[in-house]
């Protein structure tokens, strides 16, 4: 799933203003490498020789986390508001936004466009919506070391919260006014659902065969 989403992210980021020539791309990558080196120090001093993108973009990722929470905030419906923001307030490593920031910054010579950062938020919101639904399907009690929404507030609220987060993400995606990006994410979202449902269907099929 990470490989597929990373590939989609790279294409989508490119469609948001990164149509560059190959030579310019190489120069941009060189500029980005220098930027990263300033942040984390000498590349040779980094443990294991690996860069930590979560450290490089720590400030940006914090802003993205807060922006997502505001995007799904809803007044007058406290239960839905709490459920929708629950995992966004307890975000993990933000792998998808970090990947998109790296791609955009490297290709843009250290510059991340507001639309690209917004796309990073939208991608993580779609992922979060899928987690809310997955926990219901898997009957999970915990995620990321915390209780799941379905275990606290019930399956109905968890499903509704997942739908609500997805709806807010879809609205934000439409406001980007980029049909190519909308098309890419529209194609990958059903694949996310099928990947999540496949193991469940296999188990159900095996159970039916045994009975």
């Amino acid at each position: 799933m990470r490989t597929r989403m990373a590939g989609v992210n790279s294409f989508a980021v490119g469609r948001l203003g990164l149509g560059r020539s190959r030579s310019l791309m190489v120069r941009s990558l060189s500029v980005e490498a220098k930027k990263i080196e300033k942040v984390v120090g000498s590349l040779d001093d980094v443990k294991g020789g690996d860069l930590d993108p979560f450290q490089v973009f720590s400030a940006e990722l914090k802003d993205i986390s807060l922006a997502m929470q505001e995007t799904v905030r809803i007044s007058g419906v406290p239960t839905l508001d709490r459920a929708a923001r629950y995992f966004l307030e307890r975000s993990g490593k933000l792998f998808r936004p970090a990947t998109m920031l790296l791609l955009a910054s490297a290709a843009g010579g250290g510059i991340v466009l507001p639309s690209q950062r917004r796309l990073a938020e939208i991608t993580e919101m779609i992922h979060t919506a899928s987690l809310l639904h997955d926990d219901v399907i898997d009957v999970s009690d915990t995620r990321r070391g915390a209780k799941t929404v379905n275990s606290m507030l019930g399956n109905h609220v968890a499903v509704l919260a997942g739908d609500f987060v997805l709806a807010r993400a879809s609205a934000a995606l439409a406001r980007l006014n980029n049909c190519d990006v909308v098309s890419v994410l529209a194609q990958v979202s059903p694949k996310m659902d099928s990947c999540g449902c496949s193991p469940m269907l296999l188990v159900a099929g095996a159970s039916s065969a045994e009975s």
Side-chain angles (χ1 to χ4, degrees), residues 1-186:
M1 180 59 66
R2 280 189 175 184
T3 302
R4 180 183 294 115
M5 287 301 293
V8 170
N9 290 348
S10 63
F11 178 82
V13 167
R15 299 304 297 178
L16 286 173
L18 294 181
R20 305 296 186 93
S21 67
R22 186 179 182 86
S23 60
L24 181 56
M25 181 70 77
V26 172
R27 290 198 299 271
S28 297
L29 288 170
S30 177
V31 170
E32 181 61 14
K34 291 179 180 178
K35 174 192 173 187
I36 293 174
E37 186 170 2
K38 288 181 180 179
V39 175
V40 299
S42 172
L43 300 183
D44 295 331
D45 294 335
V46 179
K47 184 178 181 181
D50 295 327
L51 292 172
D52 185 353
F54 306 105
Q55 179 181 353
V56 175
F57 293 105
S58 59
E60 290 87 344
L61 291 173
K62 182 178 180 180
D63 290 341
I64 285 175
S65 179
L66 294 174
M68 290 190 297
Q69 294 173 43
E70 286 302 313
T71 299
V72 301
R73 189 180 295 278
I74 178 172
S75 59
V77 190
T79 301
L80 180 58
D81 179 68
R82 176 190 174 193
R85 290 191 293 112
Y86 183 73
F87 280 136
L88 295 176
E89 292 175 342
R90 296 162 178 78
S91 57
K93 290 184 177 180
L94 297 176
F95 173 83
R96 291 153 193 81
T99 299
M100 299 186 73
L101 289 175
L102 281 169
L103 289 167
S105 186
I111 298 175
V112 178
L113 301 178
S115 58
Q116 293 164 341
R117 200 190 82 158
R118 188 59 169 159
L119 181 59
E121 299 168 10
I122 292 167
T123 304
E124 186 67 13
M125 288 173 63
I126 293 173
H127 171 63
T128 300
S130 74
L131 296 183
L132 288 163
H133 290 161
D134 285 349
D135 287 339
V136 173
I137 294 172
D138 298 336
V139 196
S140 300
D141 293 327
T142 60
R143 181 180 290 278
R144 298 172 182 166
K147 291 184 177 180
T148 57
V149 172
N150 54 292
S151 68
M152 295 187 304
L153 302 175
N155 289 341
H156 289 90
V157 172
V159 171
L160 181 60
D163 291 346
F164 179 71
V165 172
L166 182 60
R168 285 292 174 93
S170 299
L173 180 62
R175 286 194 288 271
L176 290 178
N177 293 318
N178 190 307
C179 293
D180 288 332
V181 173
V182 172
S183 177
V184 170
L185 288 183

